[in-house]
């Protein structure tokens, strides 16, 4: 059974629906356009990888909830927190059934691992206990196919974004290096699409649903359009992925 997942990240919704920011992009309207475009891919699952909110407001999660009720949005939705998110508000407004801060779920012969990297300010951290549980959950099903989902970037960008790092990513990368099975890693946070192989494992970043960063020495905003990542998962481990951009 093939499964198609759409990843959307770094929505940065705010309490003021009319507010625009970088490149005059309104995050609510751009997220709506991204979700409408993603519907053309006929996804089975919508995966949001953090920074739903841009201002810690209750309204930001309520606006997302309105968008998720649109008929073109998949019925199965999973959300992990980012550094700008408030986990308690996420749970309260979006529901325990779609929020994932820990653990895993099995999808056919795939096991999807969820990691909470919310820490201090813009920094990320995944607890030692969660990393150990992740390792155990991979080893428990050595013949399965594995997908790890986290907000913060596990690999350097060689840019200003590395100041907003995953503080114990070295522990995660060491663990990944010694796992006997491939584990593909999905993340957001850097507001750009990236794909890279490191120590034999594959890492994929998702663009933001609003503004895109220039990954350079100093802060900068790219003129690239908002986007999302699509993944096709097959029971025999087949993997296809691509990024779609949504001109506004």
């Amino acid at each position: 059974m093939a499964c198609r997942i759409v990843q959307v990240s770094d929505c940065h919704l705010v309490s003021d629906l009319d507010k625009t920011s970088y490149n005059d992009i309104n995050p609510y309207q751009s997220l709506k356009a991204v979700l409408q475009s993603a519907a053309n891919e006929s996804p089975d699952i919508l995966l949001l990888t953090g920074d739903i909110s841009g201002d810690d407001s209750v309204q930001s999660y309520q606006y997302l909830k309105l968008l998720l009720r649109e008929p073109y949005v998949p019925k199965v939705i999973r959300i992990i927190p980012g550094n700008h998110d408030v986990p308690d508000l996420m749970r309260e407004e979006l529901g325990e059934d779609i929020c994932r801060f820990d653990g895993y779920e099995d999808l056919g012969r795939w096991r999807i691992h969820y990691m909470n990297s919310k820490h201090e300010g813009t920094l990320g951290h995944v607890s030692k206990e969660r990393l150990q549980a992740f390792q155990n959950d991979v080893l428990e099903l050595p013949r399965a196919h594995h997908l790890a989902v986290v907000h913060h970037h596990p690999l350097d960008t060689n840019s200003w974004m590395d100041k907003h790092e995953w503080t114990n990513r070295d522990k995660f990368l060491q663990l990944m290096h010694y796992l006997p099975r491939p584990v593909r890693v999905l993340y957001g946070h850097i507001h750009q699409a990236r794909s890279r192989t490191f120590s034999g494992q594959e890492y994929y970043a998702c663009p933001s649903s609003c503004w895109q960063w220039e990954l350079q020495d100093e802060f900068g905003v790219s003129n690239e359009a908002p986007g999302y990542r699509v993944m096709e998962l097959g029971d025999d481990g087949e993997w296809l992925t691509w990024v779609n951009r949504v001109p506004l």
Side-chain angles (χ1 to χ4, degrees):
M1 177 193 72
C3 176
R4 182 167 287 191
I5 300 175
V6 161
Q7 180 191 5
V8 174
S9 199
D10 298 273
C11 310
H12 290 270
L13 298 173
V14 294
S15 60
D16 183 356
L17 273 184
D18 297 322
K19 185 175 181 180
T20 62
S21 188
Y22 306 106
N23 293 343
D24 293 323
I25 291 176
N26 176 294
Y28 178 84
Q29 294 299 331
S30 64
L31 176 58
K32 184 175 182 178
V34 162
L35 293 176
Q36 288 174 334
S37 173
N40 295 324
E41 299 289 348
S42 300
D44 301 293
I45 299 173
L46 172 63
L47 174 66
L48 293 108
T49 50
D51 280 4
I52 305 304
S53 179
D55 64 355
D56 298 344
S57 67
V58 174
Q59 292 93 332
S60 59
Y61 298 109
Q62 291 174 339
Y63 295 148
L64 175 66
K65 185 160 58 175
L66 287 175
L67 289 175
L68 296 183
R69 290 174 179 167
E70 294 291 342
Y72 50 79
V73 173
K75 299 300 182 185
V76 180
I77 302 164
R78 297 291 182 260
I79 305 176
I80 65 169
N83 51 280
H84 285 290
D85 286 312
V86 183
D88 288 343
L89 285 182
M90 287 183 65
R91 287 191 184 95
E92 183 178 342
E93 295 300 326
L94 300 174
E96 293 279 357
D97 55 330
I98 67 173
C99 291
R100 293 290 187 273
F101 301 144
D102 201 351
Y104 66 84
E105 63 181 316
D106 292 328
L107 185 66
R109 292 185 60 192
W110 285 82
R111 174 164 285 188
I112 304 177
H113 307 263
Y114 301 102
M115 295 187 179
N116 178 8
S117 61
K118 167 79 176 178
H119 185 46
E120 297 176 355
T122 61
L123 299 177
H125 184 90
V126 177
S127 71
K128 177 181 178 181
E129 294 75 17
R130 178 67 192 102
L131 292 177
Q132 183 62 60
F134 164 66
Q135 181 182 40
N136 294 341
D137 293 338
V138 172
L139 296 177
E140 180 184 60
L141 286 182
R143 299 185 66 182
H145 315 295
H146 296 273
L147 188 63
V149 182
V150 67
H151 176 70
H152 283 80
H153 57 299
L155 301 178
D156 279 340
T157 64
N158 297 313
S159 77
W160 63 274
M161 271 301 298
D162 293 333
K163 299 175 184 177
H164 310 287
E165 65 175 338
W166 175 351
T167 57
N168 65 331
R169 65 187 177 86
D170 58 325
K171 302 297 184 185
F172 176 71
L173 293 175
Q174 183 180 34
L175 183 159
M176 287 283 290
H177 177 75
Y178 288 106
L179 286 175
R181 290 287 294 173
V183 178
R184 293 178 174 90
V185 181
L186 303 178
Y187 60 99
H189 192 50
I190 66 171
H191 290 228
Q192 268 296 345
R194 288 288 184 273
S195 60
R196 182 177 168 190
T197 299
F198 182 79
S199 291
Q201 303 284 25
E202 297 176 14
Y203 297 80
Y204 299 90
C206 184
S208 167
S209 66
C210 49
W211 38 84
Q212 316 303 303
W213 300 149
E214 289 280 10
L215 298 181
Q216 57 192 18
D217 289 343
E218 301 297 328
F219 174 79
V221 181
S222 168
N223 289 323
E224 290 175 286
Y228 57 94
R229 180 174 290 281
V230 186
M231 289 148 284
E232 189 87 34
L233 282 58
D235 266 351
D236 291 332
E238 299 95 338
W239 167 269
L240 292 174
T241 184
W242 61 94
V243 167
N244 290 341
R245 297 284 180 176
V246 184
L248 300 177

